[in-house]
Amino acid sequence: MAAAATAGGFRLGQRVHAAGDPRRVGTVRYLGPVEGHSGDWVGVDWDDGAGGRHDGSVAGRRYFVAAGERSASFARPTALSQGISLPDALRLRYHVEDFTKEEQDEMYVFSTSQKRVSVEFVGQNKVQEKLKNFDDLTSASVSYMGVSSIGPQDELKSLVPKLRLLDLTGNLFSQWQDISALCQALASLEVLNLTNNTMENDVTESPMLENIRILVLNNCGVTWELVEKIKVSFACLNELHLMLNKLKTIMTPAGKFVQGFNTLRLLNLEDNHIDSWDEIVKFSYLKGLEQLHLNKNRIKHVNYPPNLPSHEPLDDASAVPFENLQVLLLGSNEIEDFSSVDSLNLFPSLRDVRISDNPIADPAKGGAPRFVLIARLGKVKVLNGSEVSPRERRESEIRYVRLVMGKTQSDDAEEIKRLHPRFAELKAFHGIEDEKPTSSTSGPQKMASGLISITLKCVGPSMGEKQPLTKKLPPTTTIGKLKSLCESFFKLKDIRVKLFVVEEGCPLPQLLEEDTASLMELGIGSGASIIVDEES
């Protein structure tokens, strides 16, 4: 206590910013003397490094443990700010009582004799209107303004009684009692953004805060244990955003599954450290959950969970896992198996899926192109942010069936079903007959009926202007053979070519790399467009 008093009234764990720079934010980790230097000092661990000089130790003596090797420094109390109140920040940003000289100059023009002539200035009207209707403010942002307290509750309540959305990104809040008091003071508040406020994982009281519908706790250092504590207070949340909190484990107080959150529709866990799907299964029985955002984690495998074991203490024993989940975002994870993709068909309501930037969806890493993913995902309406049209689905499924037919060596129906669960269903649905190459010479007409029509488009910069060509080719034509044919069709001398197939809904054409693969094996059928480019 004495050290705190002699160090300018700061406390350990307090959030501060550098005087004059509200964007340079850190946490107080030490208060007191520093050997070899007179006076009292404040040891600060700066967010994201933010220009620190050491790790909390100086001249061989450790004063505290910092987050990084050079994220800490010692500062005089006068070099730090303990922040301002929320009402003061709102007035600074929205309630301009006295116009500055620059603002006054913008409201006048000068005549040729340098006399100021007043003009009707739209900006002035807007400011005056804002001043007049300050108590009608419904949305406010005071991001990175060094806000550390809410001030008197009555003052805040009377200042912005109709505020519905408040963005507190990058300020100095850390204690949940301040957040509770804030939500109680602002009865109309529905959306609260606390991004980049390092919140303490200790909750001493839990008043009901039923007005909050959307709570954003991105990069706040929160654990799931904290979420379990505050969920009682925030009983009416529709959206909970928890990005960048280094979450790996979903610790529940009792049983295997997360309970409560009866009104939660969207849970955002992007950019965390979750590597096991078992952690995600814990959300299976949140009945209102419609969107689950899991981009940029470390998940390797996905599966649809079995029904609830009878010994699990849930209210509804007949509940269906992920019953109402419509959107599942799994981009930028580490999924590399088709069984994970196929399991998404078992989710009862799933319609929007993102699996881009996973090994399984990256053809350059041996993954599947878009048409294969569409064919394997029977109910998906939106894939990787792009709508799947009925035409694209039909073409993708037909091409996929031909691909499987061209590559499958086995006639074992069970083996084919294990590797390609939808193959038989799609083959029958689209009425696709077996296309086995035959040496029979049954006349020109039958031979022609087995050919596929391909449109070739020449785009290479040194190839000259060429008209697109449509050719009928046997489905057994290999990519290597097609390259040779293109060189002949377009009269390309001493130019080596590379080929790309254009797929509807794909932002970029797909490179055809395997020279030995046939059109049939790649699932390329009639109507396909192939781009002919030159190798660099």
Side-chain angles (χ1 to χ4, degrees):
M1 186 65 69
T6 55
F10 291 92
R11 65 174 177 82
L12 293 178
Q14 182 177 357
R15 299 283 286 166
V16 295
H17 69 75
D21 186 2
R23 287 185 173 270
R24 190 182 182 211
V25 179
T27 304
V28 175
R29 296 301 184 198
Y30 173 79
L31 297 167
V34 174
E35 192 173 327
H37 300 272
S38 62
D40 288 305
W41 296 82
V42 181
V44 181
D45 191 5
W46 299 102
D47 294 0
D48 303 318
R53 297 184 177 183
H54 50 77
D55 65 353
S57 61
V58 176
R61 178 179 172 183
R62 178 163 295 283
Y63 294 86
F64 62 97
V65 178
E69 292 182 2
R70 298 182 65 84
S71 68
S73 65
F74 290 102
R76 294 293 190 188
T78 54
L80 300 171
S81 172
Q82 300 191 53
I84 60 176
S85 72
L86 180 54
D88 286 345
L90 288 166
R91 290 189 188 97
L92 280 170
R93 179 146 297 180
Y94 294 99
H95 200 162
V96 184
E97 294 178 345
D98 298 309
F99 294 113
T100 64
K101 182 179 183 302
E102 291 78 8
E103 289 169 334
Q104 288 176 3
D105 287 343
E106 287 178 347
M107 298 175 198
Y108 295 87
V109 295
F110 287 88
S111 69
T112 53
S113 60
Q114 292 302 299
K115 291 183 179 179
R116 296 210 312 182
V117 180
S118 180
V119 297
E120 184 178 350
F121 182 58
V122 175
Q124 182 183 13
N125 294 340
K126 285 184 176 178
V127 171
Q128 289 174 339
E129 188 69 19
K130 188 178 292 184
L131 286 169
K132 190 171 68 174
N133 296 314
F134 191 83
D135 60 349
D136 289 332
L137 195 65
T138 59
S139 177
S141 172
V142 290
S143 59
Y144 295 100
M145 290 188 69
V147 182
S148 58
S149 72
I150 70 165
Q153 280 184 280
D154 289 343
E155 179 186 6
L156 182 61
K157 182 177 180 179
S158 62
L159 185 66
V160 283
K162 298 179 182 178
L163 197 67
R164 295 179 58 246
L165 183 153
L166 178 60
D167 183 359
L168 289 169
T169 295
N171 282 290
L172 306 180
F173 286 102
S174 61
Q175 297 184 310
W176 282 101
Q177 61 196 41
D178 292 331
I179 304 305
S180 296
L182 166 69
C183 297
Q184 288 175 302
L186 299 177
S188 298
L189 192 66
E190 297 180 1
V191 182
L192 179 61
N193 186 349
L194 290 169
T195 294
N196 293 351
N197 288 266
T198 300
M199 302 303 300
E200 296 176 359
N201 277 280
D202 184 32
V203 180
T204 55
E205 57 183 75
S206 300
M208 296 303 290
L209 306 171
E210 296 178 345
N211 50 319
I212 304 299
R213 297 291 185 267
I214 298 175
L215 181 61
V216 183
L217 297 174
N218 297 337
N219 196 29
C220 288
V222 305
T223 62
W224 191 262
E225 291 92 326
L226 173 71
V227 175
E228 288 287 342
K229 292 175 184 176
I230 66 173
K231 75 179 182 183
V232 178
S233 296
F234 296 98
C236 297
L237 281 183
N238 298 146
E239 297 184 17
L240 177 59
H241 297 262
L242 297 169
M243 295 173 63
L244 293 161
N245 282 299
K246 299 181 181 178
L247 292 170
K248 182 175 181 179
T249 305
I250 308 302
M251 296 291 291
T252 57
K256 181 179 178 183
F257 299 102
V258 173
Q259 299 185 52
F261 296 108
N262 295 329
T263 60
L264 192 68
R265 297 199 306 265
L266 186 154
L267 177 60
N268 184 351
L269 293 168
E270 292 190 15
D271 238 324
N272 280 289
H273 294 172
I274 301 169
D275 57 9
S276 171
W277 182 252
D278 290 341
E279 300 304 314
I280 306 305
V281 169
K282 295 174 183 178
F283 301 114
S284 297
Y285 295 99
L286 297 182
K287 294 198 72 171
L289 191 62
E290 297 174 358
Q291 297 191 40
L292 185 52
H293 297 192
L294 300 171
N295 293 327
K296 296 184 180 180
N297 276 278
R298 303 168 183 177
I299 298 167
K300 298 177 176 62
H301 181 72
V302 176
N303 67 282
Y304 184 71
N307 284 331
L308 178 69
S310 58
H311 62 273
E312 285 294 337
L314 283 188
D315 295 337
D316 185 359
S318 63
V320 176
F322 294 113
E323 183 174 7
N324 294 301
L325 188 68
Q326 298 174 27
V327 179
L328 179 58
L329 305 185
L330 290 161
S332 300
N333 276 275
E334 300 172 14
I335 302 167
E336 56 185 7
D337 61 309
F338 274 123
S339 62
S340 291
V341 177
D342 296 333
S343 73
L344 299 178
N345 289 310
L346 301 175
F347 288 71
S349 305
L350 197 59
R351 297 293 180 269
D352 185 340
V353 171
R354 182 179 291 276
I355 49 177
S356 52
D357 298 314
N358 280 275
I360 192 61
D362 185 355
K365 297 180 180 178
R370 178 178 170 88
F371 82 90
V372 170
L373 298 174
I374 289 172
R376 296 188 84 120
L377 294 169
K379 297 184 290 188
V380 166
K381 304 292 185 185
V382 179
L383 177 62
N384 297 335
S386 177
E387 185 177 354
V388 179
S389 68
R391 176 183 172 184
E392 185 186 13
R393 172 158 294 285
R394 180 179 181 278
E395 291 179 353
S396 296
E397 290 176 349
I398 291 172
R399 185 177 172 194
Y400 170 69
V401 170
R402 287 175 174 152
L403 170 68
V404 176
M405 290 169 63
K407 284 195 167 185
T408 300
Q409 304 297 322
S410 171
D411 290 328
D412 185 343
E414 287 302 315
E415 176 71 4
I416 294 173
K417 184 176 181 180
R418 184 180 68 82
L419 296 174
H420 306 280
R422 301 195 70 224
F423 170 72
E425 168 197 345
L426 294 176
K427 184 169 178 282
F429 179 77
H430 293 290
I432 300 173
E433 300 294 333
D434 289 330
E435 298 176 6
K436 298 289 185 183
T438 175
S439 57
S440 168
T441 54
S442 306
Q445 186 173 0
K446 183 162 184 182
M447 184 180 295
S449 67
L451 301 179
I452 56 178
S453 180
I454 304 291
T455 299
L456 304 168
K457 300 177 181 179
C458 205
V459 300
S462 63
M463 295 177 179
E465 188 174 343
K466 310 282 186 183
Q467 289 296 316
L469 297 176
T470 299
K471 296 290 183 179
K472 291 188 176 181
L473 303 169
T476 54
T477 304
T478 64
I479 297 305
K481 176 64 174 175
L482 184 55
K483 287 179 180 178
S484 298
L485 290 171
C486 287
E487 291 168 6
S488 173
F489 292 154
F490 293 110
K491 298 181 171 55
L492 305 175
K493 293 183 179 180
D494 302 321
I495 296 178
R496 294 175 61 95
V497 302
K498 54 185 177 182
L499 306 180
F500 299 83
V501 63
V502 179
E503 298 180 54
E504 184 182 341
C506 235
L508 295 173
Q510 178 198 342
L511 178 64
L512 300 173
E513 297 182 280
E514 298 180 59
D515 280 1
T516 58
S518 69
L519 297 175
M520 177 190 293
E521 289 172 336
L522 294 172
I524 298 174
S526 285
S529 292
I530 291 181
I531 292 175
V532 183
D533 199 355
E534 58 189 284
E535 286 194 355
S536 53

